[in-house]
PDB file of all heavy atoms in Angstrom:
ATOM      1  N   GLY A   1      -5.949   0.618  27.058  1.00 96.00           N
ATOM      2  CA  GLY A   1      -7.361   0.727  26.599  1.00 96.00           C
ATOM      3  C   GLY A   1      -7.509   0.605  25.105  1.00 96.00           C
ATOM      4  O   GLY A   1      -6.553   0.700  24.382  1.00 96.00           O
ATOM      5  N   GLU A   2      -8.720   0.451  24.691  1.00 97.00           N
ATOM      6  CA  GLU A   2      -9.088   0.316  23.268  1.00 97.00           C
ATOM      7  C   GLU A   2      -8.582   1.517  22.469  1.00 97.00           C
ATOM      8  O   GLU A   2      -8.562   2.669  22.997  1.00 97.00           O
ATOM      9  CB  GLU A   2     -10.565   0.208  23.187  1.00 97.00           C
ATOM     10  CG  GLU A   2     -11.140   0.051  21.784  1.00 97.00           C
ATOM     11  CD  GLU A   2     -12.649  -0.034  21.815  1.00 97.00           C
ATOM     12  OE1 GLU A   2     -13.285   1.040  21.806  1.00 97.00           O
ATOM     13  OE2 GLU A   2     -13.136  -1.179  21.854  1.00 97.00           O
ATOM     14  N   ALA A   3      -8.183   1.321  21.213  1.00 96.00           N
ATOM     15  CA  ALA A   3      -7.719   2.433  20.381  1.00 96.00           C
ATOM     16  C   ALA A   3      -8.050   2.130  18.904  1.00 96.00           C
ATOM     17  O   ALA A   3      -8.144   0.992  18.511  1.00 96.00           O
ATOM     18  CB  ALA A   3      -6.237   2.589  20.511  1.00 96.00           C
ATOM     19  N   MET A   4      -8.215   3.164  18.141  1.00 95.00           N
ATOM     20  CA  MET A   4      -8.421   3.082  16.681  1.00 95.00           C
ATOM     21  C   MET A   4      -7.060   2.852  16.071  1.00 95.00           C
ATOM     22  O   MET A   4      -6.000   3.237  16.613  1.00 95.00           O
ATOM     23  CB  MET A   4      -9.044   4.375  16.125  1.00 95.00           C
ATOM     24  CG  MET A   4     -10.474   4.602  16.642  1.00 95.00           C
ATOM     25  SD  MET A   4     -11.260   6.024  15.903  1.00 95.00           S
ATOM     26  CE  MET A   4     -10.211   7.324  16.360  1.00 95.00           C
ATOM     27  N   VAL A   5      -7.066   2.255  14.925  1.00 93.00           N
ATOM     28  CA  VAL A   5      -5.827   1.968  14.162  1.00 93.00           C
ATOM     29  C   VAL A   5      -5.039   3.256  13.882  1.00 93.00           C
ATOM     30  O   VAL A   5      -3.826   3.319  14.088  1.00 93.00           O
ATOM     31  CB  VAL A   5      -6.114   1.243  12.822  1.00 93.00           C
ATOM     32  CG1 VAL A   5      -4.836   1.071  12.040  1.00 93.00           C
ATOM     33  CG2 VAL A   5      -6.703  -0.174  13.189  1.00 93.00           C
ATOM     34  N   THR A   6      -5.792   4.298  13.591  1.00 92.00           N
ATOM     35  CA  THR A   6      -5.075   5.620  13.367  1.00 92.00           C
ATOM     36  C   THR A   6      -4.367   6.069  14.576  1.00 92.00           C
ATOM     37  O   THR A   6      -3.252   6.644  14.510  1.00 92.00           O
ATOM     38  CB  THR A   6      -6.063   6.675  12.875  1.00 92.00           C
ATOM     39  OG1 THR A   6      -7.190   6.765  13.832  1.00 92.00           O
ATOM     40  CG2 THR A   6      -6.571   6.403  11.470  1.00 92.00           C
ATOM     41  N   GLU A   7      -4.972   5.892  15.736  1.00 94.00           N
ATOM     42  CA  GLU A   7      -4.349   6.304  17.035  1.00 94.00           C
ATOM     43  C   GLU A   7      -3.091   5.421  17.296  1.00 94.00           C
ATOM     44  O   GLU A   7      -2.063   5.918  17.807  1.00 94.00           O
ATOM     45  CB  GLU A   7      -5.297   6.140  18.210  1.00 94.00           C
ATOM     46  CG  GLU A   7      -6.470   7.076  18.116  1.00 94.00           C
ATOM     47  CD  GLU A   7      -7.551   6.755  19.146  1.00 94.00           C
ATOM     48  OE1 GLU A   7      -7.722   5.560  19.476  1.00 94.00           O
ATOM     49  OE2 GLU A   7      -8.189   7.676  19.625  1.00 94.00           O
ATOM     50  N   LEU A   8      -3.231   4.146  16.994  1.00 95.00           N
ATOM     51  CA  LEU A   8      -2.057   3.242  17.198  1.00 95.00           C
ATOM     52  C   LEU A   8      -0.922   3.540  16.291  1.00 95.00           C
ATOM     53  O   LEU A   8       0.208   3.367  16.703  1.00 95.00           O
ATOM     54  CB  LEU A   8      -2.545   1.782  17.022  1.00 95.00           C
ATOM     55  CG  LEU A   8      -3.528   1.275  18.025  1.00 95.00           C
ATOM     56  CD1 LEU A   8      -4.094  -0.099  17.587  1.00 95.00           C
ATOM     57  CD2 LEU A   8      -2.887   1.131  19.388  1.00 95.00           C
ATOM     58  N   ALA A   9      -1.198   4.043  15.082  1.00 94.00           N
ATOM     59  CA  ALA A   9      -0.145   4.297  14.099  1.00 94.00           C
ATOM     60  C   ALA A   9       0.596   5.627  14.418  1.00 94.00           C
ATOM     61  O   ALA A   9       1.749   5.764  13.971  1.00 94.00           O
ATOM     62  CB  ALA A   9      -0.759   4.388  12.698  1.00 94.00           C
ATOM     63  N   GLU A  10      -0.030   6.533  15.102  1.00 94.00           N
ATOM     64  CA  GLU A  10       0.554   7.883  15.334  1.00 94.00           C
ATOM     65  C   GLU A  10       2.011   7.878  15.812  1.00 94.00           C
ATOM     66  O   GLU A  10       2.864   8.580  15.255  1.00 94.00           O
ATOM     67  CB  GLU A  10      -0.308   8.671  16.302  1.00 94.00           C
ATOM     68  CG  GLU A  10      -1.544   9.221  15.689  1.00 94.00           C
ATOM     69  CD  GLU A  10      -2.459   9.927  16.692  1.00 94.00           C
ATOM     70  OE1 GLU A  10      -2.027  10.137  17.864  1.00 94.00           O
ATOM     71  OE2 GLU A  10      -3.604  10.245  16.335  1.00 94.00           O
ATOM     72  N   PRO A  11       2.381   7.131  16.877  1.00 93.00           N
ATOM     73  CA  PRO A  11       3.710   7.226  17.369  1.00 93.00           C
ATOM     74  C   PRO A  11       4.825   6.629  16.519  1.00 93.00           C
ATOM     75  O   PRO A  11       6.026   6.761  16.820  1.00 93.00           O
ATOM     76  CB  PRO A  11       3.657   6.599  18.750  1.00 93.00           C
ATOM     77  CG  PRO A  11       2.400   5.847  18.834  1.00 93.00           C
ATOM     78  CD  PRO A  11       1.539   6.266  17.683  1.00 93.00           C
ATOM     79  N   PHE A  12       4.463   5.896  15.507  1.00 93.00           N
ATOM     80  CA  PHE A  12       5.421   5.151  14.689  1.00 93.00           C
ATOM     81  C   PHE A  12       5.800   5.888  13.405  1.00 93.00           C
ATOM     82  O   PHE A  12       4.911   6.453  12.779  1.00 93.00           O
ATOM     83  CB  PHE A  12       4.882   3.742  14.402  1.00 93.00           C
ATOM     84  CG  PHE A  12       4.652   2.898  15.613  1.00 93.00           C
ATOM     85  CD1 PHE A  12       3.341   2.753  16.125  1.00 93.00           C
ATOM     86  CD2 PHE A  12       5.718   2.395  16.326  1.00 93.00           C
ATOM     87  CE1 PHE A  12       3.129   2.032  17.252  1.00 93.00           C
ATOM     88  CE2 PHE A  12       5.505   1.637  17.486  1.00 93.00           C
ATOM     89  CZ  PHE A  12       4.183   1.454  17.914  1.00 93.00           C
ATOM     90  N   ALA A  13       7.059   5.766  13.060  1.00 92.00           N
ATOM     91  CA  ALA A  13       7.521   6.399  11.805  1.00 92.00           C
ATOM     92  C   ALA A  13       7.369   5.333  10.710  1.00 92.00           C
ATOM     93  O   ALA A  13       8.327   4.885  10.082  1.00 92.00           O
ATOM     94  CB  ALA A  13       8.965   6.800  11.948  1.00 92.00           C
ATOM     95  N   MET A  14       6.095   4.941  10.517  1.00 91.00           N
ATOM     96  CA  MET A  14       5.842   3.983   9.466  1.00 91.00           C
ATOM     97  C   MET A  14       4.365   4.232   8.944  1.00 91.00           C
ATOM     98  O   MET A  14       3.595   4.937   9.615  1.00 91.00           O
ATOM     99  CB  MET A  14       5.949   2.541   9.938  1.00 91.00           C
ATOM    100  CG  MET A  14       5.019   2.124  11.033  1.00 91.00           C
ATOM    101  SD  MET A  14       5.162   0.405  11.565  1.00 91.00           S
ATOM    102  CE  MET A  14       6.785   0.391  12.351  1.00 91.00           C
ATOM    103  N   SER A  15       4.099   3.699   7.820  1.00 91.00           N
ATOM    104  CA  SER A  15       2.786   3.943   7.216  1.00 91.00           C
ATOM    105  C   SER A  15       1.700   3.188   8.029  1.00 91.00           C
ATOM    106  O   SER A  15       1.979   2.283   8.794  1.00 91.00           O
ATOM    107  CB  SER A  15       2.732   3.420   5.765  1.00 91.00           C
ATOM    108  OG  SER A  15       2.818   1.994   5.783  1.00 91.00           O
ATOM    109  N   ARG A  16       0.475   3.586   7.832  1.00 89.00           N
ATOM    110  CA  ARG A  16      -0.641   2.979   8.499  1.00 89.00           C
ATOM    111  C   ARG A  16      -0.801   1.547   7.980  1.00 89.00           C
ATOM    112  O   ARG A  16      -1.231   0.638   8.763  1.00 89.00           O
ATOM    113  CB  ARG A  16      -1.943   3.773   8.233  1.00 89.00           C
ATOM    114  CG  ARG A  16      -2.958   3.633   9.371  1.00 89.00           C
ATOM    115  CD  ARG A  16      -4.169   4.491   9.151  1.00 89.00           C
ATOM    116  NE  ARG A  16      -3.851   5.931   9.223  1.00 89.00           N
ATOM    117  CZ  ARG A  16      -4.516   6.813   8.529  1.00 89.00           C
ATOM    118  NH1 ARG A  16      -5.567   6.488   7.805  1.00 89.00           N
ATOM    119  NH2 ARG A  16      -4.183   8.107   8.608  1.00 89.00           N
ATOM    120  N   ILE A  17      -0.426   1.283   6.732  1.00 92.00           N
ATOM    121  CA  ILE A  17      -0.466  -0.046   6.192  1.00 92.00           C
ATOM    122  C   ILE A  17       0.533  -0.981   6.912  1.00 92.00           C
ATOM    123  O   ILE A  17       0.194  -2.071   7.226  1.00 92.00           O
ATOM    124  CB  ILE A  17      -0.186   0.012   4.640  1.00 92.00           C
ATOM    125  CG1 ILE A  17      -1.343   0.649   3.918  1.00 92.00           C
ATOM    126  CG2 ILE A  17       0.083  -1.428   4.133  1.00 92.00           C
ATOM    127  CD1 ILE A  17      -1.054   0.962   2.506  1.00 92.00           C
ATOM    128  N   ALA A  18       1.708  -0.451   7.220  1.00 95.00           N
ATOM    129  CA  ALA A  18       2.727  -1.235   7.952  1.00 95.00           C
ATOM    130  C   ALA A  18       2.224  -1.564   9.347  1.00 95.00           C
ATOM    131  O   ALA A  18       2.321  -2.695   9.866  1.00 95.00           O
ATOM    132  CB  ALA A  18       4.061  -0.489   8.001  1.00 95.00           C
ATOM    133  N   VAL A  19       1.608  -0.561   9.999  1.00 95.00           N
ATOM    134  CA  VAL A  19       1.017  -0.808  11.359  1.00 95.00           C
ATOM    135  C   VAL A  19      -0.079  -1.843  11.252  1.00 95.00           C
ATOM    136  O   VAL A  19      -0.175  -2.743  12.134  1.00 95.00           O
ATOM    137  CB  VAL A  19       0.535   0.515  11.979  1.00 95.00           C
ATOM    138  CG1 VAL A  19      -0.212   0.251  13.257  1.00 95.00           C
ATOM    139  CG2 VAL A  19       1.723   1.442  12.257  1.00 95.00           C
ATOM    140  N   SER A  20      -0.872  -1.756  10.223  1.00 94.00           N
ATOM    141  CA  SER A  20      -1.947  -2.732  10.059  1.00 94.00           C
ATOM    142  C   SER A  20      -1.433  -4.158   9.884  1.00 94.00           C
ATOM    143  O   SER A  20      -2.019  -5.124  10.366  1.00 94.00           O
ATOM    144  CB  SER A  20      -2.846  -2.370   8.830  1.00 94.00           C
ATOM    145  OG  SER A  20      -3.615  -1.237   9.145  1.00 94.00           O
ATOM    146  N   LYS A  21      -0.283  -4.311   9.214  1.00 96.00           N
ATOM    147  CA  LYS A  21       0.369  -5.629   9.065  1.00 96.00           C
ATOM    148  C   LYS A  21       0.702  -6.166  10.433  1.00 96.00           C
ATOM    149  O   LYS A  21       0.553  -7.352  10.723  1.00 96.00           O
ATOM    150  CB  LYS A  21       1.523  -5.575   8.116  1.00 96.00           C
ATOM    151  CG  LYS A  21       1.137  -5.398   6.685  1.00 96.00           C
ATOM    152  CD  LYS A  21       2.358  -5.387   5.818  1.00 96.00           C
ATOM    153  CE  LYS A  21       1.970  -5.182   4.363  1.00 96.00           C
ATOM    154  NZ  LYS A  21       3.131  -5.160   3.459  1.00 96.00           N
ATOM    155  N   HIS A  22       1.273  -5.294  11.305  1.00 97.00           N
ATOM    156  CA  HIS A  22       1.664  -5.729  12.642  1.00 97.00           C
ATOM    157  C   HIS A  22       0.369  -6.125  13.424  1.00 97.00           C
ATOM    158  O   HIS A  22       0.413  -7.109  14.151  1.00 97.00           O
ATOM    159  CB  HIS A  22       2.392  -4.598  13.402  1.00 97.00           C
ATOM    160  CG  HIS A  22       3.814  -4.423  12.985  1.00 97.00           C
ATOM    161  ND1 HIS A  22       4.756  -5.423  13.179  1.00 97.00           N
ATOM    162  CD2 HIS A  22       4.438  -3.418  12.308  1.00 97.00           C
ATOM    163  CE1 HIS A  22       5.922  -4.982  12.732  1.00 97.00           C
ATOM    164  NE2 HIS A  22       5.780  -3.784  12.175  1.00 97.00           N
ATOM    165  N   LEU A  23      -0.667  -5.355  13.275  1.00 97.00           N
ATOM    166  CA  LEU A  23      -1.905  -5.627  13.977  1.00 97.00           C
ATOM    167  C   LEU A  23      -2.475  -6.969  13.500  1.00 97.00           C
ATOM    168  O   LEU A  23      -3.024  -7.750  14.319  1.00 97.00           O
ATOM    169  CB  LEU A  23      -2.926  -4.511  13.764  1.00 97.00           C
ATOM    170  CG  LEU A  23      -2.539  -3.168  14.426  1.00 97.00           C
ATOM    171  CD1 LEU A  23      -3.521  -2.080  14.048  1.00 97.00           C
ATOM    172  CD2 LEU A  23      -2.544  -3.337  15.949  1.00 97.00           C
ATOM    173  N   ARG A  24      -2.342  -7.277  12.214  1.00 97.00           N
ATOM    174  CA  ARG A  24      -2.837  -8.579  11.719  1.00 97.00           C
ATOM    175  C   ARG A  24      -2.070  -9.727  12.334  1.00 97.00           C
ATOM    176  O   ARG A  24      -2.665 -10.791  12.678  1.00 97.00           O
ATOM    177  CB  ARG A  24      -2.797  -8.634  10.192  1.00 97.00           C
ATOM    178  CG  ARG A  24      -3.939  -7.907   9.533  1.00 97.00           C
ATOM    179  CD  ARG A  24      -4.076  -8.266   8.068  1.00 97.00           C
ATOM    180  NE  ARG A  24      -3.007  -7.829   7.253  1.00 97.00           N
ATOM    181  CZ  ARG A  24      -2.809  -6.647   6.726  1.00 97.00           C
ATOM    182  NH1 ARG A  24      -3.711  -5.681   6.992  1.00 97.00           N
ATOM    183  NH2 ARG A  24      -1.770  -6.345   5.993  1.00 97.00           N
ATOM    184  N   VAL A  25      -0.779  -9.559  12.551  1.00 97.00           N
ATOM    185  CA  VAL A  25      -0.016 -10.662  13.235  1.00 97.00           C
ATOM    186  C   VAL A  25      -0.485 -10.822  14.680  1.00 97.00           C
ATOM    187  O   VAL A  25      -0.692 -11.927  15.134  1.00 97.00           O
ATOM    188  CB  VAL A  25       1.531 -10.288  13.202  1.00 97.00           C
ATOM    189  CG1 VAL A  25       2.306 -11.250  14.059  1.00 97.00           C
ATOM    190  CG2 VAL A  25       2.062 -10.281  11.755  1.00 97.00           C
ATOM    191  N   LEU A  26      -0.712  -9.685  15.347  1.00 98.00           N
ATOM    192  CA  LEU A  26      -1.226  -9.756  16.727  1.00 98.00           C
ATOM    193  C   LEU A  26      -2.589 -10.415  16.789  1.00 98.00           C
ATOM    194  O   LEU A  26      -2.927 -11.194  17.665  1.00 98.00           O
ATOM    195  CB  LEU A  26      -1.270  -8.357  17.342  1.00 98.00           C
ATOM    196  CG  LEU A  26       0.083  -7.724  17.612  1.00 98.00           C
ATOM    197  CD1 LEU A  26      -0.063  -6.201  17.928  1.00 98.00           C
ATOM    198  CD2 LEU A  26       0.836  -8.435  18.675  1.00 98.00           C
ATOM    199  N   GLU A  27      -3.424 -10.046  15.766  1.00 97.00           N
ATOM    200  CA  GLU A  27      -4.786 -10.590  15.701  1.00 97.00           C
ATOM    201  C   GLU A  27      -4.735 -12.108  15.431  1.00 97.00           C
ATOM    202  O   GLU A  27      -5.470 -12.882  16.040  1.00 97.00           O
ATOM    203  CB  GLU A  27      -5.549  -9.844  14.549  1.00 97.00           C
ATOM    204  CG  GLU A  27      -7.040  -9.968  14.685  1.00 97.00           C
ATOM    205  CD  GLU A  27      -7.736  -9.017  13.723  1.00 97.00           C
ATOM    206  OE1 GLU A  27      -7.075  -8.392  12.825  1.00 97.00           O
ATOM    207  OE2 GLU A  27      -8.915  -8.902  13.820  1.00 97.00           O
ATOM    208  N   ALA A  28      -3.867 -12.531  14.490  1.00 96.00           N
ATOM    209  CA  ALA A  28      -3.714 -13.958  14.185  1.00 96.00           C
ATOM    210  C   ALA A  28      -3.282 -14.760  15.387  1.00 96.00           C
ATOM    211  O   ALA A  28      -3.651 -15.929  15.578  1.00 96.00           O
ATOM    212  CB  ALA A  28      -2.763 -14.149  13.020  1.00 96.00           C
ATOM    213  N   ALA A  29      -2.485 -14.130  16.245  1.00 96.00           N
ATOM    214  CA  ALA A  29      -2.009 -14.814  17.453  1.00 96.00           C
ATOM    215  C   ALA A  29      -3.059 -14.757  18.551  1.00 96.00           C
ATOM    216  O   ALA A  29      -2.838 -15.357  19.611  1.00 96.00           O
ATOM    217  CB  ALA A  29      -0.727 -14.116  17.923  1.00 96.00           C
ATOM    218  N   GLY A  30      -4.166 -14.011  18.325  1.00 96.00           N
ATOM    219  CA  GLY A  30      -5.175 -13.931  19.360  1.00 96.00           C
ATOM    220  C   GLY A  30      -4.915 -12.906  20.429  1.00 96.00           C
ATOM    221  O   GLY A  30      -5.614 -12.832  21.475  1.00 96.00           O
ATOM    222  N   LEU A  31      -3.847 -12.097  20.212  1.00 97.00           N
ATOM    223  CA  LEU A  31      -3.484 -11.122  21.250  1.00 97.00           C
ATOM    224  C   LEU A  31      -4.344  -9.861  21.220  1.00 97.00           C
ATOM    225  O   LEU A  31      -4.359  -9.147  22.180  1.00 97.00           O
ATOM    226  CB  LEU A  31      -2.015 -10.732  21.075  1.00 97.00           C
ATOM    227  CG  LEU A  31      -1.027 -11.855  21.468  1.00 97.00           C
ATOM    228  CD1 LEU A  31       0.347 -11.583  20.866  1.00 97.00           C
ATOM    229  CD2 LEU A  31      -0.951 -11.942  22.981  1.00 97.00           C
ATOM    230  N   ILE A  32      -4.979  -9.587  20.086  1.00 97.00           N
ATOM    231  CA  ILE A  32      -5.869  -8.436  20.030  1.00 97.00           C
ATOM    232  C   ILE A  32      -7.157  -8.852  19.334  1.00 97.00           C
ATOM    233  O   ILE A  32      -7.183  -9.871  18.585  1.00 97.00           O
ATOM    234  CB  ILE A  32      -5.222  -7.226  19.319  1.00 97.00           C
ATOM    235  CG1 ILE A  32      -5.033  -7.547  17.814  1.00 97.00           C
ATOM    236  CG2 ILE A  32      -3.969  -6.761  20.012  1.00 97.00           C
ATOM    237  CD1 ILE A  32      -4.736  -6.311  17.001  1.00 97.00           C
ATOM    238  N   SER A  33      -8.176  -8.104  19.542  1.00 97.00           N
ATOM    239  CA  SER A  33      -9.417  -8.267  18.771  1.00 97.00           C
ATOM    240  C   SER A  33      -9.718  -6.937  18.089  1.00 97.00           C
ATOM    241  O   SER A  33      -9.327  -5.881  18.589  1.00 97.00           O
ATOM    242  CB  SER A  33     -10.552  -8.728  19.648  1.00 97.00           C
ATOM    243  OG  SER A  33     -10.806  -7.788  20.684  1.00 97.00           O
ATOM    244  N   ARG A  34     -10.442  -6.976  17.007  1.00 95.00           N
ATOM    245  CA  ARG A  34     -10.703  -5.811  16.262  1.00 95.00           C
ATOM    246  C   ARG A  34     -12.249  -5.718  16.013  1.00 95.00           C
ATOM    247  O   ARG A  34     -12.909  -6.695  15.719  1.00 95.00           O
ATOM    248  CB  ARG A  34     -10.022  -5.901  14.909  1.00 95.00           C
ATOM    249  CG  ARG A  34     -10.090  -4.651  14.046  1.00 95.00           C
ATOM    250  CD  ARG A  34      -9.458  -4.915  12.680  1.00 95.00           C
ATOM    251  NE  ARG A  34      -8.146  -5.424  12.717  1.00 95.00           N
ATOM    252  CZ  ARG A  34      -7.103  -4.890  12.064  1.00 95.00           C
ATOM    253  NH1 ARG A  34      -7.306  -3.846  11.296  1.00 95.00           N
ATOM    254  NH2 ARG A  34      -5.965  -5.473  12.106  1.00 95.00           N
ATOM    255  N   CYS A  35     -12.752  -4.526  16.216  1.00 95.00           N
ATOM    256  CA  CYS A  35     -14.184  -4.219  16.027  1.00 95.00           C
ATOM    257  C   CYS A  35     -14.248  -3.209  14.852  1.00 95.00           C
ATOM    258  O   CYS A  35     -13.637  -2.144  14.927  1.00 95.00           O
ATOM    259  CB  CYS A  35     -14.810  -3.737  17.258  1.00 95.00           C
ATOM    260  SG  CYS A  35     -16.499  -3.211  17.070  1.00 95.00           S
ATOM    261  N   VAL A  36     -14.970  -3.538  13.808  1.00 93.00           N
ATOM    262  CA  VAL A  36     -15.078  -2.636  12.674  1.00 93.00           C
ATOM    263  C   VAL A  36     -16.475  -2.005  12.673  1.00 93.00           C
ATOM    264  O   VAL A  36     -17.493  -2.675  12.677  1.00 93.00           O
ATOM    265  CB  VAL A  36     -14.873  -3.469  11.349  1.00 93.00           C
ATOM    266  CG1 VAL A  36     -14.984  -2.518  10.172  1.00 93.00           C
ATOM    267  CG2 VAL A  36     -13.548  -4.171  11.371  1.00 93.00           C
ATOM    268  N   GLU A  37     -16.476  -0.683  12.659  1.00 93.00           N
ATOM    269  CA  GLU A  37     -17.661   0.185  12.614  1.00 93.00           C
ATOM    270  C   GLU A  37     -17.493   1.085  11.361  1.00 93.00           C
ATOM    271  O   GLU A  37     -16.880   2.135  11.494  1.00 93.00           O
ATOM    272  CB  GLU A  37     -17.846   0.954  13.895  1.00 93.00           C
ATOM    273  CG  GLU A  37     -17.929   0.128  15.167  1.00 93.00           C
ATOM    274  CD  GLU A  37     -17.786   0.956  16.396  1.00 93.00           C
ATOM    275  OE1 GLU A  37     -17.547   2.196  16.331  1.00 93.00           O
ATOM    276  OE2 GLU A  37     -17.884   0.392  17.472  1.00 93.00           O
ATOM    277  N   GLY A  38     -18.033   0.607  10.272  1.00 94.00           N
ATOM    278  CA  GLY A  38     -17.880   1.404   9.011  1.00 94.00           C
ATOM    279  C   GLY A  38     -16.386   1.385   8.625  1.00 94.00           C
ATOM    280  O   GLY A  38     -15.789   0.320   8.426  1.00 94.00           O
ATOM    281  N   ARG A  39     -15.838   2.574   8.568  1.00 92.00           N
ATOM    282  CA  ARG A  39     -14.381   2.653   8.183  1.00 92.00           C
ATOM    283  C   ARG A  39     -13.462   2.703   9.425  1.00 92.00           C
ATOM    284  O   ARG A  39     -12.249   2.751   9.288  1.00 92.00           O
ATOM    285  CB  ARG A  39     -14.169   3.946   7.330  1.00 92.00           C
ATOM    286  CG  ARG A  39     -14.846   3.814   6.006  1.00 92.00           C
ATOM    287  CD  ARG A  39     -14.624   5.064   5.225  1.00 92.00           C
ATOM    288  NE  ARG A  39     -13.254   5.475   5.159  1.00 92.00           N
ATOM    289  CZ  ARG A  39     -12.828   6.531   4.503  1.00 92.00           C
ATOM    290  NH1 ARG A  39     -13.670   7.257   3.766  1.00 92.00           N
ATOM    291  NH2 ARG A  39     -11.531   6.840   4.495  1.00 92.00           N
TER     292      ARG A  39
END
C-alpha cells in the first residue's frame, strides 16, 4: 500500500536523503509514482 517517504525510510539504516535517491531511481523507471501534498 501507499506510504510516505518517512515511513519508507524507517526500516533502513540510511538517511532519508539516501532513501529519496533510491525512490528517484524507482520513479525514473516508472515503478512508483509520487504524490506531493505540501511537505
Side-chain angles (χ1 to χ4, degrees):
E2 180 181 85
M4 294 185 300
V5 172
T6 53
E7 295 170 328
L8 292 169
E10 284 175 9
F12 299 102
M14 63 178 70
S15 69
R16 209 175 297 149
I17 292 171
V19 171
S20 288
K21 287 181 181 182
H22 284 294
L23 292 172
R24 280 195 295 277
V25 172
L26 292 169
E27 199 170 10
L31 289 162
I32 68 167
S33 60
R34 188 186 306 232
C35 175
V36 180
E37 300 167 357
R39 292 179 50 178

